[in-house]
Amino acid sequence: MMLEAGFHAVPQGHVATVVTYLEMRAPAAARPERDPGLELRLVERPDVEWYRALFRKVGAEDWMWFSRLMIGEDALLAVLHDPGVEVYVALRDGEELGLLELDFRARGECEIAFFGLARAAIGQGAGRWLMNRALERAWRSGVGRVHLHTCTLDSPQALDFYRRSGFEPVRREVEVLRDPRLTGHLPESAAPHVPILR
């Protein structure tokens, strides 16, 4: 359904966000990077509790990442253990500081399904480093499109970062959903920049 121009009421207890979809149709040149002291490790058949803990650390408190907290364990394992999905963790001195999830399940495509860093890694060149690693892995033989999305609940730097990395915006949607802080999936202290409307 297409929204008409103008203002549209959002129900109490819900949040609304503008989602922007971006893509590359050919590899972009790697951006110059500095060494943030991280290593990237592929996690084979990740455990649900481990995955959700890293997911929360990277995105839940600040940016209201919630989608992987709302689905059941079996459904999440079906995604994480699918041979077309790769989960990576970025580590520094053994501390887990970043999440990268690549989804190759659609033929000829790679979705960067999740890409994020914990607070302790932000502002040190780690984002550019992680994106260069992501694109190295995404552009494998047979892939003709790499895509991702971000939204207005995410870091305000995210959209420009993706564009500087070579992604082009191609589509926009408005998503309205029950506030995950009111459903118990996130603490009420999460994403303080987004007010709760009960």
Side-chain angles (χ1 to χ4, degrees), residues 103-187:
D103 187 337
F104 295 93
R105 290 178 294 174
R107 181 184 293 273
E109 298 185 359
C110 175
E111 178 184 9
I112 301 178
F114 291 98
F115 176 99
L117 293 163
R119 287 183 200 168
I122 293 173
Q124 304 159 28
R128 188 177 295 189
W129 177 88
L130 185 59
M131 180 55 75
N132 284 345
R133 304 294 81 76
L135 293 174
E136 288 168 1
R137 287 158 176 77
W139 285 111
R140 58 185 58 169
S141 178
V143 170
R145 175 177 178 253
V146 176
H147 62 103
L148 50 74
H149 67 271
T150 186
C151 74
T152 50
L153 297 176
D154 206 350
S155 166
Q157 300 171 335
L159 184 56
D160 283 342
F161 171 80
Y162 294 139
R163 293 176 72 190
R164 289 193 307 272
S165 298
F167 288 91
E168 292 290 331
V170 293
R171 186 165 56 96
R172 187 175 291 129
E173 291 179 337
V174 174
E175 181 181 15
V176 178
L177 57 136
R178 184 91 175 125
D179 192 323
R181 297 166 298 184
L182 297 178
T183 63
H185 292 95
L186 291 178

Side-chain angles (χ1 to χ4, degrees), residues 57-58 61-63 92 97 117-124 189 191-192:
K57 182 176 183 177
V58 167
E61 285 295 312
D62 291 332
W63 313 119
R92 181 164 55 216
L97 293 173
L117 293 163
R119 287 183 200 168
I122 293 173
Q124 304 159 28
S189 60

Side-chain angles (χ1 to χ4, degrees), residues 43 45-59 65-69 71 76-77 79-81 85-89 96 98-102 113-115:
V43 181
R45 299 181 65 79
D47 172 79
V48 166
E49 287 186 22
W50 170 85
Y51 177 90
R52 284 184 170 154
L54 182 59
F55 185 90
R56 284 186 184 96
K57 182 176 183 177
V58 167
W65 285 18
F66 60 89
S67 59
R68 292 296 174 78
L69 307 177
I71 64 174
L76 180 54
L77 282 175
V79 174
L80 299 179
H81 293 179
V85 174
E86 298 176 1
V87 175
Y88 296 86
V89 59
E96 297 174 345
L99 171 65
L100 171 64
E101 184 176 327
L102 303 178
F114 291 98
F115 176 99

